[in-house]
Amino acid sequence: DERAPRAALLFGVTGSGKTQVYLKLIARALEQGRGAVVLVPEIGLTPQVLRQFAAQFGDEVAVLHSALSAGERYDSFKKIQSGRARVVIGTRSAVFAPFDNLGLVILDEEQEHTYKSESSPRYHARDVAKFRCAYHKTLLVLASATPSIESYYYAQTGRYTLNQLPHRYGGARLPKVRFVDMNRELEAGNDSIYSRELLTEIEKNRKVHKQSIILLNRRGYNTFVSCKACGNVVTCPNCSISLTYHAANQRLMCHYCGHSQPLPELCPHCYGRLQFVGMGTQKLQEALEESYPGVEIMRMDADTITATQSHEVLLDRFRWKQVPILLGTQMVAKGLDFANVTLVGVVDGDLSLYADNYRAAERTFSLLTQVVGRAGRGEKLGRAVIQTWTPDNDVINLAARQDYDTFYEEEREMRRMLRFPPFLDLFRITLSGPEETQVLRACAVIRRSLEPWVKPRQQGPEGPEVLGPAPAPVLKVNNRYRYRVLLKCRNGREIRAVLAQILQAAQQDRANRGLSIAMDVNPMD
């Protein structure tokens, strides 16, 4: 109502009724003759959200996301420009919806990394939304049960207003969470994927005609294939990464460049016998089908989503056909609201915890909290079983209790000591090319170019720091080597001008022919 730029964090536990708040805010914006944009992190959530909003706002709703054809996108744009659509729902690109009189922008699950475009043009939908809300003098709402550390820090320090929904809507209770220590399972002679407790809970649910969701955030059948004799791992010829085995087509596939090859019968190096290591959602499905023959089990991951079998088709079938078990990757962890789901199982809850990323703890906490929140959204009390190899880990315990405040305090202190966002910004310059020595030399030149600006300013807690050159976590992708230089400092006009000048000089240097140079601010990976 103030007609002034504002940002608010809506912090509500899973199932607290955040969507009802969105509907009220949008109705208020429409009363004032202004438009509204609602962003969701996954295309799969768009149809579910669309149904809720279309029921209230009818033909005034338009959809924008990358899965639409060019013609469908054009039709949506014309509908918005003409004023026939005043509510837009979509993924990150919907933040550019052509409103002349924007009255509200909402980011649902604002902490999700999918709001950040990691390819050119590199942008974060949250930053674009801030700019648009400042330009149109209106409200930005960031909403989540697990806000990003940066957003909650800004809410605590007064840059955002903080609005909380600490309880589930209608008095529903949060699920009861139990841990299973897989080390104990192994000691007891159970070397299967599933713990005895999780299988027991799935069987209980099946008998009373309730539904279950199982999460493993890794697709494929096996993580990699290695030789029993020499230990050699079958790797991608184009990337410095192992190939993942997919049982559906009996092929080894690279999830980076798309390379695919048949599974060799013997080790290509010593002709020894091959063994399968690790597990993915395909293996998870096969193990469940062996335990429950004749029971329908639906899998939802990047391999099952096709043009004819979209997110919407799969989720509608799960809802209306009452398929007993849905398993999948993080697609099944966010935003889904099924009243008949009373059990959530997490296989390998530690999977993302030890990733080479300073956001690993935050992502693990968010993923576990979100997927646990899928259970017990109806009248029945939900329950969750988390299988873990590190049951004493603080992040996993706090996620089970949905204790965000304690997690935030610990993670904020870690970020402060490491001088990561929100305390300093990260500028990552990535160079890639077919010759490793050429890429490394160009990175070293960029670092030397930064030092005259960095060295005089290094004193104090906010002094800049430059790191690298260092290889990317996956050094080679599609036959191009990748090295990085990282700059920690406050984002400001002066450093942006310095970096622009350095990058321009690097691109004009003849020694860098064939190289790709890109810069990203506060990258998500």
Side-chain angles (χ1 to χ4, degrees), residues 363-431:
R363 286 188 180 177
T364 301
F365 180 90
S366 176
L367 185 64
L368 292 179
T369 303
Q370 293 287 345
V371 74
V372 165
R374 298 312 106 203
R377 298 173 79 93
E379 295 178 359
K380 291 277 187 178
L381 176 65
R383 60 203 192 283
V385 177
I386 298 177
Q387 296 182 180
T388 173
W389 296 94
T390 55
D392 296 327
N393 186 281
D394 275 355
V395 174
I396 293 174
N397 279 278
L398 292 171
R401 300 203 305 267
Q402 301 215 356
D403 186 357
Y404 179 84
D405 288 327
T406 303
F407 169 76
Y408 166 76
E409 293 295 335
E410 293 181 2
E411 188 68 9
R412 183 195 62 184
E413 185 60 20
M414 183 67 73
R415 297 274 187 96
R416 187 190 63 79
M417 290 189 294
L418 295 174
R419 304 169 81 236
F420 281 143
F423 298 95
L424 287 181
D425 294 295
L426 301 181
F427 292 84
R428 187 182 70 192
I429 303 169
T430 303
L431 284 81

Side-chain angles (χ1 to χ4, degrees), residues 287-304:
L288 268 183
E289 288 171 344
E290 289 175 0
S291 299
Y292 303 107
V295 175
E296 186 174 3
I297 297 164
M298 182 185 294
R299 189 176 94 243
M300 189 169 166
D301 56 27
D303 298 316
T304 61

Side-chain angles (χ1 to χ4, degrees), residues 431-446 448 480 503-517:
L431 284 81
S432 67
E435 297 294 332
E436 186 174 8
T437 53
Q438 182 193 21
V439 177
L440 193 53
R441 184 203 67 82
C443 267
V445 170
I446 287 177
R448 287 196 298 271
R480 294 180 69 86
L503 292 182
Q504 189 176 20
Q507 288 167 336
Q508 292 172 351
D509 189 343
R510 291 185 178 181
N512 295 339
R513 282 183 178 176
L515 297 187
S516 296
I517 305 173

